[in-house]
Amino acid sequence: GTSGPGERPQDRRDRNRTEPEPERNRNGTGAGRRRLEQLYFHGQDPISSQDIPNFWKFFQRLRLFQSLRPDREAAPEPSQPPPGLILPPHYDPRYRINLSLPSPDVGCRDNGIPLECGWEFRWALLHYLHFQQRQSFSRLLRIQRERAALPIARYREQLLDAVAQHQVVLVAGDTGCGKSTQVPQFLLGAGYSHVACTQPRRIACISLAKRVALESLHQYGSQVGYQIRFESTRSPSTRLLFLTQGLLLRQAQRDPLLRGYHILLADEVHERQLHGDVLLGVLRRLLPHRPDLKLVLMSATINIPLFSAYFGDAPVLRVPGRSFPISVRMEGEPGKWERLDPMPYLRVMQAIDHKYPAEERGDLLVFLSGVAEIGAVLEAAQTYAACTQRWIVLPLHSTLSVEEQDKVFDVPPPGVRKCILSTNIAETSVTIDGVRFVLDSGKVKEMSYDPQDKLQRLQEFWISQASAEQRKGRAGRTGPGVCYRLYAKSDYEAFPPYPVPEIQRVALDALVLQLKSMGLGDPRTFPFLEPPPSSSLETAIGYLKEQGALDEAEQLTPIGTILAQLPVDVVVGKMLVLGALFGLAEPTLTVAAVLSVPSPFLRPTHPNPDWTTARKPLESPYGDPLTLLNVFNAWVQVKSERGGSSRKWCRRRGLEEHRLYEAANLRRQFQELLRDHQLLEDASEPSSSIRHRERRELHRLWRSHRECEGRKRKLLRLQDGLDTSSGEEEDGGSHRKGIDIQDVKFQLRHDVSELQASSSLVLASSQLALLQLVLCRGLYPQLALPDPFNGSRRDSEQVFHTRSKASVVPHPTSVFATNPELLHHKDLGCILHRHQLLAFVSLLETSKPYLVNCVRVPALQALLLFSQSLDTNADCSRLVADAWLEVSIPKAEEAVRLLSMALQLRSAWDQLLQQLLGKLERSPSQWDVAKLSRRLLEFLQEKVPYRLHQLTGLEKQNLYVGPQLVMASAPHLQGLFPGMEMIPDEVKGGHRITDFLTYNCLAMDTDLYNNCLRSFWTCPHCQLHMPFTPLERMCHESSCQPPPEEEATQSSSKASSLHRPYHCPICQQDFTFTPTEILRHKKQHH
Amino acid sequence: MDAPKEVQPTGEFTCQLCNLTAPYTYYGQKPPYTRSIVLLEESYVMKDPFTPDKDKFLILGSHCSLCRRSVCVGTECSLFYSKRFCLPCVNENLKAFPLEIQEDMDKKKPQEKSSSKKTHTKA
């Protein structure tokens, strides 16, 4: 403070001369303090309990300050007091304080505090309160000044006029103009309510809501809120809501008119995220139906005409940005695209050391294309930093733990600069103060999508000019800056002007589903801001049909309706529905959730052997989804037993706990969705009064956390930049007073005991096998075949082939990358019954194409059960699945038996699924489900030896016999296969029997479709004995099913599909009989 | 979320010198937020927006005891010495104030020209 703390002059003199030790002790520590605290501090008034230590610190400083200040002679009094000004006769600093503290009621004499001490304490307390007043007031003043100084402040009237007059207004302003925080406040101030402001990123929603609430001095209090997936502060009194683009889209799915909002602000529309683009399209369609709705688009000054024109030449309000001058140095040689070399980066650090005195603050932000590049530069830069002691080098990318990421906001000691090596995450998502130097590699790694192979590819590209400018701008946020570019001017000029919008480079399955569920018609004719390539739209539509989410007319199927509400990949969504059927809802919920968040496994640049050891017990030999299931379950156990210590548990295993929290949230969302669709039974009500009290306390904790300022910046130490993977002892920023706020949120959101119960279920091996099957059916046709020569290859060289992509490898985190022997058989390429395939969740190409999240499945069974096309030769000893894999079963008898089994299983399974999804009147009976499960398990147990072979290109060309000129009629079949039509296949040849099975269409076999192939066979169920062709036999088997053991009790209530009217020619009576019953009946007459 | 009840602002306080405006919820000497603190002048008060603590209040300003202008408590606009005085009034009557205050005012003048921000940001 500027003016000295006040006190009565005599007191000071007295104390300076002789300060009795006991008194110091009494006031300084111990009993005296406690007594004073009791007297003066009751409840939160006048200072809160958290504030008391601060007060005592202040108290000590005040004493020190006064003992240092020289005594001053009493000033001469002003000679003539002017009229109207009556001031105290003697100067005393206490007159400067406009607060007073009446004595506490307790008798002053008997309170055990010496009089002088009481005085001193009270003055100190008044000072402290006064000091707090000044602190808060200066904050208020600063906020108001900063707001007034924002470039947008001068455009308030213009903006409000434009909004009043037009339905759509575009605000184009550069970074730092203040549009995101101010425009919503202008609108609130002008009396608008039901304002929603969309953001591309969740984190921005939270920070903007906080910032706006603060800037408006909490004037609107709870009226400013945010809503992101799984987290919301929205309440009925909310007038301004920040939410993600994706969430508003979801709301539009439920309420296409978005009736809850009067005015929508779409922020950062220039970033062109998929959701942002779709949202603009949806809003454009909506505006004519909601003439009262106002829309304000906010963007950087990029591509303004595109947005304005899209909304019928909407008026544009241009706001200049506020950036300090930045000088640009082009350091690259023209046209050079070389492999990463850390030298240029070190040279720039050196140049900075050389040119700018260490005491001039300013950090360096380096933009690199990816994690590997960051690792390479990090190593070199750390060596340099260790030599010079002038740098702290920190990596920043999204796969780092939250704690590691937060380090970039900490402050370096004087004379030391931060060097932050970042991906493009720091371009827009993360803003770091104090950056003066930017070093731009000019490159970015972006996910591109190959619709042909459904392959995601992470590739390195030159950035766009817009990104280059954005990166440069990061140097001029707080003062003049310098931007070093590792490319030449001519390179820059060849950059594309804008980044490729996301819609042009990602899979559109989810988008198509969403458009369909909003009833927006044919996605091909949807008025996109810039339409996606029609090939990826077609692929998406085709894929959704293939997956059964769209029917032939491209309308949503029941399963499609559910999938459209799930913010996850279609295959994962399918698993959920399939799992629900077999009573495997709990494990499938978890698997679906963990598969839908980024992998929780941290991958440091140098493998950590401790992590590998600690993760070992969680590893599942069946595959990665089951390993993830184990991880999640173990984590839930740790959380419910030891609460907050799960953080440490995760750290020991190199797990990013944040991902597990996300998975828990997703899991709950899935669970609710399944319940909404009656696919899962409602939860029992667990809440008791104890639980209520617990929850209240947790709520209080969370609220106080929310209201407090975020993480405090810490001071970095030089060694902070050196070791990035330690941190066993350190605690994260939010880990205050032993409270793990993430854990609090977790306890609040989830019914932990329910979660614990479901996570402690140990799956029986039969359940595990069914789960594998469920996963595989969900993932189909994402299958990979082990290369036949893997057995003789080294572990790191195991190769797999998918239908469209040869030579892919399991991702290094996969159990099959570390334990390839799980897939080996001693005698390869031979005839055996244990061939296995890998079903995988996604294909990702970085340095190599990787299979991500694999689960192994028995090959023959998976192919028979799931392939979309199954072609056979005449005796079914050769089967081709999806024109890709060939199965040869030496024993034709066995082949027919298995095929027949598979046919029956598939139809039973599909029927139950349709019942489950409400397509049929009945819901699946427990009994039917149990029967199907049992039969599936039996099917999995089959040990028929076979050869598995991937068709070569040439073989594929000559696969089918083709249309036959003379169609062999099959008179025998009609009676044996009721209701099943035999259609000659006009492309492949042979006969189509079901939508997936084509019989006898494979070439290179002599056409054996004739009588000589018939052999005598007795049906085990109906005892029918006659010559059958394999097909006839199969048909008969599928219609003549074994007598149901327990059905007798139930058969009266439900007419089995096997029942049919039967008129007995002997007794001339009509019955409804199954084939078996007919036989039994006939026997009576003999 | 069950949010605490909001106190509706009673009006808007405006400093007639620096034009600072902020909503106030109480005017007087005994703010409702506290039982133990009494103000020595009739002041415009709001709940302290920078702490979740409900018992904390923030004094925005009051009226100059001489000219009755409403002024904020910022050191560039007013000072308190047993009463509130706006700086124009202090400067007019500088001689009536004790030496300590006069010195402070002298110190303030050159500062105001170079960087007026500093006095405020430094608490």
Side-chain angles (χ1 to χ4, degrees), chain A residues 383-442:
Chain A
T383 317
Y384 177 75
C387 288
T388 58
Q389 300 278 302
R390 285 174 70 174
W391 293 91
I392 291 174
V393 189
L394 301 168
L396 175 63
H397 49 82
S398 58
T399 54
L400 283 179
S401 69
V402 179
E403 278 90 13
E404 291 290 337
Q405 284 187 18
D406 276 346
K407 272 194 186 174
V408 303
F409 301 110
D410 292 336
V411 190
V416 176
R417 299 178 199 283
K418 277 187 292 187
C419 167
I420 298 153
L421 306 175
S422 171
T423 57
N424 61 343
I425 190 176
E427 215 172 284
T428 45
S429 317
V430 180
T431 299
I432 305 153
D433 287 330
V435 171
R436 181 177 171 195
F437 309 99
V438 161
L439 173 49
D440 179 11
S441 67

Side-chain angles (χ1 to χ4, degrees), chain A residues 328-377:
Chain A
V328 177
R329 316 247 160 97
M330 308 301 274
E331 306 264 321
E333 286 171 47
K336 221 170 152 189
W337 175 285
E338 53 191 15
R339 296 204 53 183
L340 185 84
D341 171 16
M343 270 323 286
Y345 298 88
L346 295 191
R347 272 200 292 275
V348 168
M349 291 172 80
Q350 228 167 0
I352 293 171
D353 282 340
H354 208 68
K355 206 161 167 190
Y356 303 93
E359 54 275 11
E360 272 183 30
R361 284 218 171 229
D363 300 323
L364 169 65
L365 175 60
V366 184
F367 285 100
L368 290 155
S369 61
V371 179
E373 289 72 14
I374 288 176
V377 176

Side-chain angles (χ1 to χ4, degrees), chain A residues 142-150 153 182 185-186 215-216:
Chain A
R142 196 165 64 232
I143 286 173
Q144 296 230 333
R145 288 202 176 151
E146 279 169 6
R147 280 190 70 189
L150 287 169
Q182 303 307 302
Q185 289 186 73
F186 294 164
E215 281 192 5
S216 58

Side-chain angles (χ1 to χ4, degrees), chain A residues 546 781 783-784 801-806 868 881-884 950 956:
Chain A
E546 212 173 87
L783 288 183
H801 311 287
T802 75
R803 192 172 157 198
S804 54
K805 184 106 187 145
Q868 269 131 22
D882 292 327
W884 172 46
Q950 183 180 6
K956 279 183 201 167

Side-chain angles (χ1 to χ4, degrees), chain A residues 606-625:
Chain A
H606 301 294
N608 183 330
D610 294 343
W611 291 357
T612 318
T613 323
R615 287 174 188 174
K616 228 14 283 150
L618 299 170
E619 227 165 51
S620 164
Y622 301 102
D624 310 317

Side-chain angles (χ1 to χ4, degrees), chain A residues 44-46 48 82 85-86 91 95-98 100 102 133 136-138 141 144 218 699 702-703 707, chain B residues 1-2 20-21 34-36 38 40-41 48-49 52-53 55-57 59 80-83 96 100 104 120:
Chain A
Q44 300 292 93
D45 195 25
S48 63
L85 251 175
I86 300 139
Y91 175 77
Y95 294 129
R96 287 175 173 244
I97 295 180
N98 59 348
S100 111
Q133 283 290 324
S136 286
F137 187 78
S138 65
L141 213 58
Q144 296 230 333
H218 297 275
H699 266 298
W702 188 40
R703 235 189 346 257
E707 280 162 351
Chain B
M1 288 290 88
D2 41 340
L20 170 117
T21 55
T34 170
R35 277 175 297 125
S36 50
V38 173
L40 297 177
E41 54 178 338
D48 188 336
D53 197 340
D55 306 332
K56 281 263 183 279
F57 61 90
I59 304 170
F80 186 83
Y81 187 71
S82 82
K83 285 177 219 151
E100 284 84 350
D104 279 1
H120 273 308

Side-chain angles (χ1 to χ4, degrees), chain A residues 1017-1056:
Chain A
W1017 177 71
T1018 313
C1019 173
H1021 309 311
C1022 67
Q1023 267 71 54
L1024 187 64
H1025 181 75
M1026 61 182 266
F1028 283 96
T1029 65
L1031 180 63
E1032 288 163 350
R1033 188 180 137 185
M1034 216 153 63
C1035 295
H1036 176 84
E1037 269 194 293
S1038 97
S1039 64
C1040 176
Q1041 293 196 349
E1045 304 98 283
E1046 299 155 57
E1047 202 160 34
T1049 50
Q1050 306 183 13
S1051 57
S1052 56
S1053 61
K1054 61 184 183 77
S1056 151

